[in-house]
């Protein structure tokens, strides 16, 4: 893995030898118009998302995820925890129905047993470890224990005195649960799952934590936080929280269990009491988080060791209870349209929702209106561009001009064709630009379309059209233009 300076790190890094760091997403379902599982999977594939975490084991989602290669973490919901933790047979039935029935077609890699149990369902704490063991035993019986790991996501609030990280320790009242739980994770080669939310740490610090420190933004050396015990320098809250977990585990004599961040993110909208829940801050946090993980930066305690992370979350959940921010953690709206465009240059192929240094296809200024209309009609017809956003009431209806509508259709075709040379010409009335024409809720570029069209090719356009060849060379397009122009002339002659 590289950068390993101490033998202590070797046991931790071995867990990651099989797979590089990954960024996944959590998929919540508190939406008034939850997309169908096939639509969800289309978005995941288009956005090149290869790891997901479900808060249940929904059969429709598991079937839709089959044969995609996407690695799936499924969950035992809290309401099922007591039953599973008290009955080995109940756990075996759960694994049979939700894992064995779908694996290996659906690439289930993790079972999350409960969620934040100590803080959200403390009465179930007494059966949490039993539930972990029973689920694992069922996997062993099915010969799936090496393929599927078992863990339980915990809230960071279970770690006390978290800064400096070297002083962190677990809430002692939970020691009777945590020690056998950590023993289980260590003996089964699993990982410690932690929900890490610098947003809440920042909000609750009463101005002590700088916003830039929470957002992974560069800090001068004088503003970095220094752990006085280890002299480690911390440039962001995320690393400090992860290292606090490592130190808290070490306090209980567990030093070889890796941390996986089961939730992390930043809300894009909040009420009057949440002024820093903004689009810009959400974009900055998630973009910087993704780069931090993919670049294998690691943490000051474990430099170079991947901290794989699931972003919270895929969709905005509009019917979720709580303050406005609770409804606005998503990367996408229910229709697959990105809430904001991530800035991910240099992070490899992680999410297609990135238009840094992007190019767009727009109508040429001063282009002939009739030629624009003909090209627009072709793009929305034979070109098979989805032009419903141009309908009245749609996000791209205004401004209601031929040039504006043509720009939307031209760019949609250009993006769909993978920006192949010559696909932004349309008989000379279109041109490529680096200026993003997005306005309001009308978003352009690879992140602007419904997820089912991102990164796709137009193989279904027609047998006479070779994917990637310019529209001006298509006999279909030329004949279409000629047909439109003849129609216009005929209509004019009728009027005369």
């Amino acid at each position: 893995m590289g950068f390993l300076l101490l033998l202590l790190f070797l046991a931790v890094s071995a867990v990651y030898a099989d797979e590089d760091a990954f960024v996944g997403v959590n998929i919540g379902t508190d939406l008034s118009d939850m997309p169908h599982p096939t639509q969800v999977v289309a978005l995941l594939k288009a956005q090149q998302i290869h790891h997901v975490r479900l808060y249940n084991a929904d059969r429709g989602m598991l079937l839709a995820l089959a044969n995609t290669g996407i690695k799936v973490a499924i969950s035992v919901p809290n309401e099922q925890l007591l039953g599973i933790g008290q009955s080995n047979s109940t756990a075996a039935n759960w694994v049979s129905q939700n894992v064995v029935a779908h694996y290996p077609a659906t690439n289930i890699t993790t079972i999350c047993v409960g969620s934040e149990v100590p803080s959200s369902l403390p009465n179930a704490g007494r059966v949490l470890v039993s539930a972990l063991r029973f689920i694992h035993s069922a996997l062993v019986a099915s010969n799936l224990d090496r393929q599927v790991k078992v863990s339980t996501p915990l809230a960071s609030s279970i770690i006390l005195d978290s800064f400096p990280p070297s002083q962190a320790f677990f809430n002692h009242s939970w020691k009777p649960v945590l020690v056998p739980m950590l023993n289980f994770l260590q003996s089964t080669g699993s990982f410690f799952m932690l929900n890490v939310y610098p947003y809440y740490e920042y909000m609750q610090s009463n101005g002590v934590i700088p916003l830039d420190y929470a957002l992974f933004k560069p800090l001068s050396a004088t503003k970095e936080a220094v752990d006085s015990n280890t002299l480690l320098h911390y440039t962001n809250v995320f690393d400090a929280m992860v290292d606090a977990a490592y130190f808290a585990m070490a306090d209980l004599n567990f030093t070889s269990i890796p941390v996986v961040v089961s939730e992390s993110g930043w809300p894009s909208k909040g009420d009057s009491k949440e002024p820093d829940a903004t689009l810009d801050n959400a974009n900055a946090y998630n973009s910087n988080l993704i780069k931090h993980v993919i670049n294998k930066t690691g943490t000051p305690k474990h430099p170079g060791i991947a901290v794989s992370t699931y972003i919270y979350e895929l969709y905005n959940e509009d019917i979720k209870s709580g303050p406005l921010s609770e409804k606005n953690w998503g990367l996408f709206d229910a229709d697959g349209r990105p809430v904001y465009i991530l800035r991910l240059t240099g992070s490899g192929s992680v999410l297609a929702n990135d238009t840094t240094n992007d190019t767009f296809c727009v109508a040429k200024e001063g282009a002939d209106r009739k030629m624009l209309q003909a090209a627009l009609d072709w793009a929305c017809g034979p070109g098979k561009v989805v032009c419903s956003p141009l309908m009245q009431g749609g996000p791209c209806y205004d401004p209601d001009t031929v040039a504006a509508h043509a720009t939307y259709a031209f760019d949609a075709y250009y993006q769909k064709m993978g920006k192949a040379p010559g696909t932004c010409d349309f008989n000379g009335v279109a041109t490529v630009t680096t200026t993003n024409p997005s306005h309001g809720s009308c978003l352009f570029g690879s992140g602007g379309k419904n997820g089912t069209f991102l990164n796709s090719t137009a193989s279904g356009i027609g047998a006479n059209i070779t994917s990637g060849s310019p529209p001006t060379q298509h006999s279909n397009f030329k004949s279409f233009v000629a047909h439109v122009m003849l129609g216009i002339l005929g209509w004019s002659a009728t009027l005369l």
Side-chain angles (χ1 to χ4, degrees):
M1 294 290 290
F3 306 105
L4 302 182
L5 304 178
L6 300 174
L7 290 176
L8 177 63
F9 293 169
L10 292 176
V12 180
S13 64
V15 177
Y16 288 95
D18 295 336
E19 179 178 34
D20 288 336
F22 68 79
V23 175
V25 293
N26 290 277
I27 304 178
T29 57
D30 285 339
L31 287 77
S32 57
D33 188 20
M34 181 68 196
H36 189 274
T38 56
Q39 293 175 296
V40 177
V41 171
L43 177 61
L44 296 174
K45 291 168 69 176
Q47 290 295 331
Q48 303 171 45
I49 296 171
H50 304 301
H51 296 78
V52 298
R53 176 181 168 223
L54 310 180
Y55 288 96
N56 50 31
D58 180 76
R59 183 173 180 272
M61 275 301 304
L62 293 177
L63 290 173
L65 286 162
N67 304 310
T68 63
I70 295 172
K71 297 185 177 181
V72 185
I74 61 175
S75 300
V76 175
N78 284 351
E79 58 267 25
Q80 297 179 24
L81 188 61
L82 284 173
I84 286 174
Q86 293 174 329
S87 169
N88 207 339
S89 61
T90 301
N93 287 335
W94 193 94
V95 168
S96 176
Q97 293 175 15
N98 299 301
V99 181
V100 177
H102 298 281
Y103 190 91
T106 302
N107 192 8
I108 299 169
T109 61
T110 307
I111 300 175
C112 303
V113 179
S115 178
E116 300 189 341
V117 173
S119 54
S120 62
L121 198 66
N123 291 337
R126 59 187 174 84
V127 301
L128 176 58
V129 177
S130 295
L132 290 166
R133 289 172 177 161
F134 288 163
I135 290 289
H136 183 259
S137 294
L139 291 172
V140 171
S142 301
N143 294 317
L144 291 175
D145 54 302
R146 292 189 177 184
Q147 297 93 328
V148 183
K149 298 301 179 184
V150 182
S151 188
T152 182
L154 299 177
S156 59
S157 59
I158 200 169
I159 301 171
L160 305 181
D161 200 12
S162 59
F163 199 90
S166 61
Q167 293 182 188
F169 59 91
F170 289 116
N171 186 327
H172 286 164
S173 65
W174 280 94
K175 191 172 180 179
V177 173
L178 290 171
V179 170
M181 183 198 81
L182 292 170
N183 266 319
F184 168 83
L185 298 178
Q186 182 172 264
S187 65
T188 60
S190 190
F191 30 79
F192 182 83
M193 300 188 83
L194 185 69
N195 294 343
V196 175
Y197 285 106
Y199 172 74
Y200 290 125
E201 297 293 313
Y202 164 75
M203 289 288 289
Q204 295 163 10
S205 74
N206 295 318
V208 173
I209 294 177
L211 181 60
D212 285 353
Y213 182 58
L215 295 175
F216 291 93
K217 290 189 175 180
L219 299 173
S220 63
T222 58
K223 291 186 177 181
E224 292 178 358
V226 181
D227 186 321
S228 58
N229 298 315
T230 61
L231 299 183
L232 294 173
H233 287 238
Y234 287 87
T235 60
N236 61 80
V237 177
F238 179 90
D239 282 352
M241 295 178 72
V242 171
D243 272 0
Y246 279 123
F247 279 108
M249 285 192 285
D251 182 58
L252 296 179
N253 297 315
F254 294 93
T255 58
S256 61
I257 304 173
V259 172
V260 168
V261 174
S262 37
E263 294 179 10
S264 193
W266 196 283
S268 60
K269 185 185 296 184
D271 57 31
S272 59
K273 296 180 180 179
E274 303 170 299
D276 294 298
T278 67
L279 285 171
D280 284 344
N281 288 342
N283 193 343
Y285 180 82
N286 282 322
S287 295
N288 290 333
L289 170 63
I290 291 169
K291 287 183 280 189
H292 188 71
V293 173
I294 297 304
N295 293 342
K296 301 182 188 177
T297 307
T299 67
K301 180 172 172 58
H302 293 303
I305 294 180
V307 184
S308 293
T309 301
Y310 292 92
I311 291 178
Y312 186 81
E313 57 186 330
L314 185 64
Y315 293 114
N316 276 337
E317 296 185 273
D318 63 316
I319 58 175
K320 196 156 192 176
S321 59
L324 183 59
S325 63
E326 283 296 313
K327 307 174 191 294
N328 290 281
W329 290 80
L331 298 174
F332 296 89
D333 287 322
D335 62 359
R337 194 169 294 273
V339 177
Y340 47 85
I341 306 301
L342 291 165
R343 298 185 287 266
L344 304 177
T345 294
S347 296
S349 179
V350 184
L351 278 162
N353 175 13
D354 169 24
T355 57
T356 309
N357 298 323
D358 210 346
T359 55
F360 308 86
C361 182
V362 299
K364 276 186 180 178
E365 188 174 353
D368 180 80
R369 187 179 182 280
K370 292 178 181 178
M371 291 296 292
L372 282 175
Q373 184 66 60
L376 169 62
D377 292 343
W378 183 88
C380 294
K384 295 193 175 181
V385 166
V386 177
C387 291
S388 54
L390 298 176
M391 308 227 4
Q392 190 165 5
C396 299
Y397 175 74
D398 290 320
D400 183 18
T401 66
V402 173
H405 286 194
T407 288
Y408 173 87
F410 293 172
D411 188 66
Y413 181 81
Y414 177 63
Q415 304 293 339
K416 188 170 74 163
M417 297 299 289
K419 304 180 186 179
T423 56
C424 179
D425 183 271
F426 293 92
N427 269 2
V429 296
T431 187
V432 173
T433 179
T434 57
T435 301
N436 190 333
S438 298
H439 54 277
S441 59
C442 182
L443 303 180
F444 285 69
S446 60
K449 312 301 179 294
N450 184 290
T452 56
F453 293 94
L454 287 171
N455 295 333
S456 62
T457 58
S459 58
I461 287 180
N464 296 331
I465 302 179
T466 303
S467 178
S469 56
T472 55
Q473 295 177 5
H474 298 339
S475 59
N476 287 15
F477 180 69
K478 287 185 174 181
S479 63
F480 182 84
V481 172
H483 177 76
V484 170
M485 295 306 292
L486 286 173
I488 292 172
L489 291 172
W491 178 71
S492 300
T494 301
L495 289 179
L496 293 172

